[in-house]
Amino acid sequence: MRQIITHSWPLLLCLALAACQQAEPATHSGMVIEEVNSPQEGGAISTAPVKVPPVPAEPATSPRKAKTSVRETAKASSEEAPIDWSTLELTSGEASISCELDYAALGDGNVLAKFDQAGLREALQPCVERGVARLRYKGKITAEFGSLVERVTHVANELGIHKRVLDVDSAGGQVEDAIKAGDFIAESRWTIWVREGAICHSACVFILSAGDTRMIAGQVGIHRIIRMSSTATTRAELNAELRVVYERVRDYLERNGAATAVADLMMAVPNRGLRLLTVEELELYGLDGVNPAQDDLDRLRLMRKCGEDFVSRRDSFVRAFDKRCKTPNTDLDALNTCGLNLRKDYGFPDQACPAESPLSEFDPGTALVPGASKPDGVSQQSPKPKAGES
């Protein structure tokens, strides 16, 4: 079963995986291959120049030091680097901001038309009271997308909005842009949704892997990275180019808590096809639920802030939730009601650490569905994604 949120429990709205529509029969257990449109419509496209190293290559630094350097660079960029506020237009996607999580009943909020600091502040200001903002993005993963996330994060930090969701629907895009944006997201505390009817294919998977928590009900698919600027004329030359790109991908996946096996799987699927990952594969490769790399950091943080007893009760709650509440195709309303009621058995919300308690997002609001039975202390206005949405 999927894990649930550990960092301040952003949006423990666990989503049932929707059945993939019009998918070809699995070629074997656990695999679905679909035909897709041209990579220009999304995909995993690499255009950055690569320099094929001599064999054997002499690394400038040790692998451990190199990975630490990349993460430190990403952290510095998210916390210290100034934001580029030059003119921004989303030519490959559209975005909106909502202060609510119930997109089924309340929609996706206001479409973003202004991407300067004042415009984003105006869009995010209504979210201050709840302390939650949801950025809906539908389109390709590009440098523009990365800039959008950086700007929204910066303004949200200024306004004290620390619980944020990236509600993404993307067929992919530029690999290098996705990795850059993903490293920023990894240091900026985002929950990622791929909701029912949405997709996260190709380069979008790198964005998915970066989230603190990943909630998936739509399709997640992978295929080979295509080198649009390649000068290769033989398989050997193309493989040499791709080896450099895939090493970057493996390093990225590893530092963001996902299995490097994802990169190997990508190599085996032609770019004109798409391998849809199953629920079991998403969990196995660390792409669903709590990010294992972030979970390690959060455990240390929670131990220091909230104490060993809090962490022990939280872990017990997680195990009980997985056992009692998570079953295939469980209606999300029933799932969340189960979790909200269950947390009382483990002393949550905790008086000393209410924001870090499971399902803390629902404490200021109310039950997920009008007319649904209310857990103690929860009213009937809180938003939630529908079952199957991510």
Side-chain angles (χ1 to χ4, degrees):
M1 300 306 299
R2 300 176 187 169
Q3 291 181 326
I4 53 179
I5 301 168
T6 56
H7 164 62
S8 72
W9 298 83
L11 329 160
L12 178 69
L13 305 175
C14 300
L15 309 169
L17 186 68
C20 300
Q21 295 183 352
Q22 299 179 343
E24 295 296 327
T27 55
H28 63 73
S29 178
M31 179 183 290
V32 176
I33 301 294
E34 287 191 343
E35 291 294 312
V36 296
N37 294 325
S38 64
Q40 286 80 358
E41 297 183 14
I45 303 170
S46 174
T47 57
V50 298
K51 183 177 180 180
V52 179
V55 181
E58 188 67 29
T61 58
S62 67
R64 181 181 298 275
K65 188 172 182 180
K67 290 167 189 170
T68 300
S69 175
V70 171
R71 179 162 284 279
E72 287 176 348
T73 299
K75 185 173 184 178
S77 68
S78 66
E79 294 182 353
E80 302 170 6
I83 299 297
D84 177 8
W85 290 105
S86 58
T87 302
L88 173 65
E89 294 183 9
L90 292 184
T91 60
S92 299
E94 55 186 27
S96 59
I97 290 288
S98 175
C99 308
E100 303 293 345
L101 309 182
D102 189 355
Y103 51 86
L106 303 175
D108 289 323
N110 297 319
V111 175
L112 286 176
K114 299 178 181 178
F115 303 100
D116 59 350
Q117 195 165 7
L120 290 176
R121 176 177 284 271
E122 180 181 358
L124 286 164
Q125 186 67 48
C127 302
V128 171
E129 183 177 358
R130 287 203 67 222
V132 178
R134 175 167 56 92
L135 171 62
R136 169 69 170 169
Y137 179 79
K138 185 173 183 178
K140 293 172 64 175
I141 305 300
T142 63
E144 297 169 354
F145 164 78
S147 180
L148 170 67
V149 173
E150 289 184 7
R151 295 180 183 206
V152 171
T153 301
H154 179 80
V155 175
N157 285 339
E158 287 185 334
L159 294 174
I161 304 169
H162 300 300
K163 297 176 183 179
R164 43 229 182 191
V165 176
L166 173 59
D167 182 355
V168 67
D169 186 353
S170 175
Q174 293 287 335
V175 172
E176 290 77 19
D177 291 337
I179 288 177
K180 181 179 178 181
D183 274 329
F184 182 90
I185 288 170
E187 299 298 340
S188 305
R189 312 314 302 265
W190 284 84
T191 290
I192 312 294
W193 282 1
V194 184
R195 71 197 200 193
E196 185 180 42
I199 60 173
C200 185
H201 293 167
S202 307
C204 177
V205 174
F206 304 141
I207 301 300
L208 180 66
S209 66
D212 281 12
T213 301
R214 292 69 59 91
M215 295 296 190
I216 302 169
Q219 291 184 354
V220 177
I222 58 174
H223 55 192
R224 282 174 67 91
I225 295 172
I226 187 169
R227 288 280 300 155
M228 297 299 289
S229 59
S230 175
T231 59
T233 59
T234 67
R235 286 188 193 175
E237 291 174 350
L238 179 59
N239 187 63
E241 287 186 9
L242 287 175
R243 185 181 299 115
V244 176
V245 177
Y246 276 95
E247 281 304 313
R248 297 173 185 167
V249 169
R250 287 186 182 91
D251 285 347
Y252 171 83
L253 292 170
E254 184 175 3
R255 66 178 174 263
N256 283 299
T260 58
V262 173
D264 298 326
L265 285 175
M266 294 175 71
M267 288 287 287
V269 182
N271 191 265
R272 68 178 182 278
L274 186 76
R275 173 169 176 168
L276 301 179
L277 299 181
T278 65
V279 177
E280 293 77 15
E281 286 175 326
L282 289 168
E283 294 179 359
L284 177 65
Y285 301 136
L287 293 173
D288 189 18
V290 176
N291 187 311
Q294 189 60 47
D295 188 49
D296 287 345
L297 291 173
D298 284 339
R299 288 180 65 83
L300 296 172
R301 180 185 64 85
L302 290 174
M303 190 76 72
R304 292 191 294 265
K305 180 176 181 179
C306 304
E308 183 176 353
D309 175 67
F310 179 97
V311 173
S312 177
R313 286 185 287 117
R314 185 204 67 161
D315 291 345
S316 296
F317 171 85
V318 170
R319 290 190 293 269
F321 183 90
D322 286 345
K323 183 177 181 180
R324 302 184 199 178
C325 301
K326 283 187 172 183
T327 56
N329 302 318
T330 298
D331 181 84
L332 188 62
D333 300 335
L335 185 67
N336 287 319
T337 299
C338 176
L340 287 165
N341 284 320
L342 181 63
R343 67 177 185 164
K344 295 181 296 183
D345 297 340
Y346 297 89
F348 294 119
D350 186 89
Q351 292 185 355
C353 289
E356 287 75 13
S357 298
L359 291 166
S360 64
E361 286 71 28
F362 299 111
D363 291 332
T366 56
L368 304 174
V369 192
S373 59
K374 295 185 293 182
D376 289 351
V378 180
S379 66
Q380 293 185 346
Q381 299 294 327
S382 269
K384 56 59 176 107
K386 296 186 298 184
E389 290 182 314
S390 70

